[in-house]
Amino acid sequence: MLDPDLVGRTFVGASSTVVTQEAITNFARVLGAENFDVAPPTFSISITLAQSQTLLQESGLDWSRVVHGDQRFVLSRPIVAGDNFICSATIESARVMAGNEIVTVRSDLHSGSELVASTWSTLVVRA
Amino acid sequence: MSNFEVGQEFAPKTFLIDRQLLVAYANASGDQNPIHQDEAFAKSVGLPDVIAHGMLTMALAGKYVSDLAGGSGAVKEFSARFTKPVVVPANSVVELVISAKVSALENGCAKLDLTAICADSKVLGMAKAVISLS
């Protein structure tokens, strides 16, 4: 069970992630894309999923029982090779519905002071 | 790009999903959850078979949106609900059909409503994208 005191708290990653051209190309190619100059719209999940799991490791959230409920991306500009991101994860809300925990996590990717991508994931922790 | 009109519908596109694609997406995205690769594990947690990553379905819909928008760089917002799993049995190819309709035009952007169908069921709900027309 997620520690309810953590709702509203933001956890900021200690180290940054550099986006490589290889990572963009690999992701885009799987989708059948032929243009690799900018990252596909959902590429940021390849950074934020692992980072958020690490950042929220001590939160009490049982990641092994998590089902992805919904996902939203807002991009202020496309992600490109060379971007050097610090990831932060905020637990925006947590509630229990029919025995399942429903947790909304916002993950932001900052390059310096610039907020490039915000993502919201609704996670359903199955009872 | 300026010839988008409210109500305009775009031709559907079919994406093919097989187990190989699930492995490729797992490697590219870093999501190695075994429910997307290991049939025995998937069944052990109550799933009918291996299922596709919801984020793979969304990424393929994102490819469709990028193509409409003239490139991934024009996609400003993208959201979806994962309403039904895409089941991917061994040695088979599953068809995912994506289509879109323009719901609004504002501030130099088009808002799109997306539909994602697999095996006669909607697999994404409330799927929406905002693309820049400039």
Side-chain angles (χ1 to χ4, degrees), chain A residues 26-27 30-33 38-42 45-46 49 68-76 78 126, chain B residues 21 24-25 28-29 31 45 55-56 58-60 62-63 66 72-73 75-82:
Chain A
N26 286 344
F27 194 98
V30 168
L31 309 177
V38 303
T42 64
I45 199 80
S46 67
L49 178 72
H68 206 162
D70 65 43
Q71 181 66 38
R72 175 166 181 242
F73 298 87
V74 174
L75 297 157
S76 68
R126 290 175 302 132
Chain B
L21 186 69
Y25 181 78
S29 69
D31 184 347
V45 295
M55 284 308 307
L56 169 60
M58 193 172 177
L60 293 170
K63 165 70 166 63
S66 293
S72 294
V75 182
K76 314 296 278 178
E77 295 185 29
F78 187 27
S79 57
R81 207 171 271 178
F82 304 106

Side-chain angles (χ1 to χ4, degrees), chain B residues 37-65:
Chain B
Q37 297 187 42
D38 181 339
E39 196 168 316
F41 183 88
K43 287 178 174 166
S44 78
V45 295
L47 293 166
D49 204 328
V50 163
I51 62 168
H53 308 71
M55 284 308 307
L56 169 60
T57 303
M58 193 172 177
L60 293 170
K63 165 70 166 63
Y64 178 91
V65 172

